[in-house]
Amino acid sequence: MGEVAEAILTDGRKIQYVIRENPPHGGMKYTYFAPDKSYVVQFFNDPAVARNPNLRKRVEAIIGKYNPTLAEQDGGARGNSPSMASYFAGRFCWPTAIVEYPEFGIVCPAYPPNYFFSENVAIIPELSAELRGKDKKSKWFTSAKLRRYMREQELGDFRSMLQMSISLARSIRRMHQAGLAHSDLSCNNVLVDPKSGSCVVIDIDSLVVPGLYPPEVIGTGGYIAPEVLETLEYPYGDEKRNLPCASTDLHALAVLLYEYLLLRHPLSGPKVYSQDPNEDDYLSMGPRALFVEDPRDTSNRPPDLHVTIDDLGAPLKSLFLRAFVDGLHRPNERPTAMEWEKALVKTWDLLHPCENPDCAAGWFILHDPKHPVCPFCGGRIDERDVVQLRLKSQIHGRAGQWVGAENVMVYDNMPLFKWHVFSNCFPDEKADRTMLAYVCKYQGQWLLVNHGIQGMTSPGGNLVPVGQAILLKDGAVFRISNEDKGYLVEVARGG
């Protein structure tokens, strides 16, 4: 271990950190670890930046009143409960304190161990040795060229990538709700763990507080919004120049989600805009950017698009078209992070395991019951195992009148939660994640087992006690709960 030094925080507390030669450097800061590696102390590369009073004000605001990882009662973001703060503490690497001595810096929690590469992650020993201990940046898991070097167990599956997508959309939604923008959302500043389906947003101290503290970076190549690239020629402060903000975050968010789910960049196609590589890159990501799946202009479409946005179902297809067709050059038309979160959650309920044991994706979106085929491997689901629950909510003030709300494609041992039972529940950071029911296949029959629902009613109108089950016959209709806001369920079997 290197020399142990001492830092003094704004509140007078003293903490230790270990000085090592050649500490990890980022674009703006270098990092020292605590002796037990539970936190890091970061100082700024440029002393002039560290002396900027606006930087201190920004960091103070981020650590305090805009902080979603701190309860409002403890000085954190407005409306933040302790449980919400705890939830987001695991999804952001949020600064916790300001260092006053030996120089201005910040303290952040260390990344959890699953966001660092361990041993034997790659099929080539030399690459494993090179990656060991480094951050898990998503490019290693979304780039076809790099994925092939990763061991299969490191890659997760389609289900875990969808789970990761929900987590990221929810984190960005919460950040935007707090009035912040990241300004450099990219594969470098979202660390991922596909095995567990989790991700963490980092480099928080550079967040943009709209109207108060302008951005200091333009972003990372491939994730910078086209309008930012198009106006780089204007000097900083010119009203014609577009700077990173919440709407540019929404471009980067859509790029990341597309990469997570389809393992390619949405704008990187075969079209050549210039023989000059730098100019070609500028045009393809900026003024001439064109979605590889643009339905009207196919000139940038790769010839080998195997799985497309059509295979993700209507909710996500619609948002990707808005993000990369309608909103690519019109920022106000981009989907919000909340819209992404809702669409991804809706899509989660259409997941189905692929029955092909050799399918690398493992799961797919069964959005069309008439065509239960995995787009990743071509494996087909037996129509007898295609079971859909059509959830219907009662129209307010009109007893006995129901309208379609959600569709759920079930599979063996699939859990159901409060949001599958009541129309006024949504699985956000405040949701109760206690399993209330589950679906299982028993002796060739599909059953919905009541695990903790009061007022579940059979198709015949009888109460179904906890521990008992409903046979999921085609066309069966029942109340999953007869309490207020409880869904009416219609069963559809096969195609």
Side-chain angles (χ1 to χ4, degrees):
M1 189 168 78
E3 177 188 352
V4 176
E6 190 172 76
I8 300 176
L9 308 183
T10 302
D11 60 8
R13 284 182 296 143
K14 298 178 180 180
I15 62 171
Q16 293 182 326
Y17 62 97
V18 180
I19 296 179
R20 292 184 181 275
E21 291 186 11
N22 300 316
H25 276 73
M28 293 186 66
K29 301 183 298 297
Y30 58 97
T31 301
Y32 294 121
F33 282 85
D36 64 356
K37 297 189 175 181
S38 63
Y39 59 86
V40 298
V41 176
Q42 297 182 311
F43 299 110
F44 291 83
N45 297 329
D46 185 348
V49 170
R51 290 192 296 269
N52 185 340
N54 287 333
L55 174 62
R56 174 181 285 273
K57 291 178 182 178
R58 175 194 288 121
V59 174
E60 288 174 346
I62 289 169
I63 290 176
K65 63 181 181 179
Y66 292 105
N67 189 344
T69 70
L70 193 64
E72 182 179 10
Q73 66 194 45
D74 298 322
R78 181 180 299 177
N80 227 34
S81 67
S83 63
M84 291 167 61
S86 176
Y87 181 92
F88 284 113
R91 287 156 180 81
F92 290 106
C93 189
W94 206 275
T96 58
I98 292 176
V99 176
E100 296 287 0
Y101 175 84
E103 58 185 286
F104 178 78
I106 61 172
V107 181
C108 290
Y111 311 145
N114 59 310
Y115 294 115
F116 294 102
F117 282 112
S118 57
E119 295 180 329
N120 300 319
V121 295
I123 59 175
I124 301 174
E126 292 79 6
L127 181 57
S128 284
E130 181 183 339
L131 289 176
R132 182 184 177 186
K134 292 186 177 179
D135 304 346
K136 286 186 178 178
K137 297 176 179 178
S138 64
K139 65 181 181 179
W140 288 100
F141 307 99
T142 60
S143 164
K145 292 181 180 179
L146 298 178
R147 278 176 62 87
R148 63 186 180 182
Y149 295 114
M150 294 288 102
R151 292 194 183 277
E152 186 176 345
Q153 61 267 27
E154 296 292 321
L155 298 175
D157 55 26
F158 180 77
R159 183 176 185 264
S160 66
M161 297 300 269
L162 180 60
Q163 182 178 344
M164 205 161 69
S165 301
I166 294 172
S167 179
L168 178 59
R170 182 168 295 146
S171 296
I172 302 307
R173 182 263 297 165
R174 184 65 186 93
M175 190 176 68
H176 286 179
Q177 282 180 331
L180 301 169
H182 192 283
S183 81
D184 191 13
L185 196 61
S186 71
C187 65
N188 294 332
N189 290 329
V190 181
L191 304 185
V192 302
D193 178 28
K195 290 188 292 185
S196 65
S198 58
C199 64
V200 61
V201 182
I202 65 173
D203 269 13
I204 301 298
D205 56 288
S206 297
L207 295 185
V208 179
V209 182
L212 295 177
Y213 313 117
E216 295 177 338
V217 295
I218 63 167
T220 299
Y223 303 89
I224 303 171
E227 67 272 15
V228 174
L229 281 177
E230 291 173 26
T231 59
L232 283 178
E233 62 186 85
Y234 296 104
Y236 193 88
D238 191 309
E239 63 180 14
K240 296 178 183 178
R241 180 165 176 176
N242 291 307
L243 296 173
C245 58
S247 65
T248 64
D249 278 356
L250 295 178
H251 172 76
L253 172 62
V255 172
L256 286 166
L257 296 177
Y258 189 88
E259 288 183 319
Y260 292 173
L261 298 175
L262 294 171
L263 308 181
R264 58 176 180 260
H265 193 283
L267 307 180
S268 295
K271 190 168 185 176
V272 177
Y273 300 87
S274 171
Q275 296 305 311
D276 181 330
N278 292 328
E279 179 74 4
D280 182 67
D281 184 65
Y282 165 72
L283 292 173
S284 67
M285 296 293 157
R288 304 281 294 279
L290 178 64
F291 184 32
V292 295
E293 296 191 57
D294 190 302
R296 297 188 294 270
D297 185 345
T298 61
S299 60
N300 196 34
R301 183 167 299 183
D304 57 348
L305 280 188
H306 181 52
V307 182
T308 71
I309 55 174
D310 289 321
D311 298 305
L312 301 178
L316 288 182
K317 176 182 177 180
S318 173
L319 292 193
F320 277 124
L321 289 175
R322 280 178 54 195
F324 297 129
V325 179
D326 304 333
L328 186 57
H329 299 285
R330 294 184 291 273
N332 291 337
E333 298 189 32
R334 291 170 187 156
T336 65
M338 181 176 288
E339 288 179 287
W340 280 113
E341 181 185 2
K342 289 182 176 180
L344 288 161
V345 166
K346 190 183 291 270
T347 303
W348 180 270
D349 283 335
L350 303 180
L351 270 173
H352 201 282
C354 180
E355 295 182 355
N356 175 8
D358 297 322
C359 179
W363 298 75
F364 68 101
I365 306 301
L366 210 176
H367 61 92
D368 182 3
K370 295 180 181 179
H371 188 66
V373 176
C374 172
F376 299 102
C377 72
R380 188 177 186 89
I381 304 299
D382 189 322
E383 290 191 2
R384 291 171 297 181
D385 291 333
V386 177
V387 183
Q388 184 180 40
L389 304 182
R390 297 172 178 168
L391 309 184
K392 300 184 178 184
S393 58
Q394 190 164 231
I395 300 175
H396 182 69
R398 298 184 184 181
Q401 295 188 41
W402 303 83
V403 62
E406 305 287 344
N407 290 331
V408 180
M409 301 301 305
V410 304
Y411 51 85
D412 193 23
N413 292 320
M414 176 182 178
L416 299 179
F417 302 95
K418 197 170 184 178
W419 53 89
H420 297 119
V421 178
F422 299 103
S423 61
N424 60 341
C425 294
F426 181 74
D428 59 12
E429 65 275 11
K430 300 183 291 293
D432 180 353
R433 286 173 165 75
T434 303
M435 184 180 74
L436 295 182
Y438 63 93
V439 176
C440 67
K441 187 178 182 182
Y442 179 71
Q443 295 183 348
Q445 295 184 317
W446 285 91
L447 304 174
L448 173 65
V449 181
N450 186 357
H451 188 70
I453 300 173
Q454 301 302 316
M456 182 183 287
T457 307
S458 73
N462 299 315
L463 285 175
V464 180
V466 172
Q468 298 298 307
I470 292 175
L471 181 63
L472 297 179
K473 290 184 177 181
D474 186 42
V477 178
F478 60 92
R479 289 288 301 274
I480 196 165
S481 174
N482 59 18
E483 294 185 15
D484 187 39
K485 304 297 183 182
Y487 279 124
L488 181 77
V489 179
E490 179 184 349
V491 181
R493 297 285 302 272

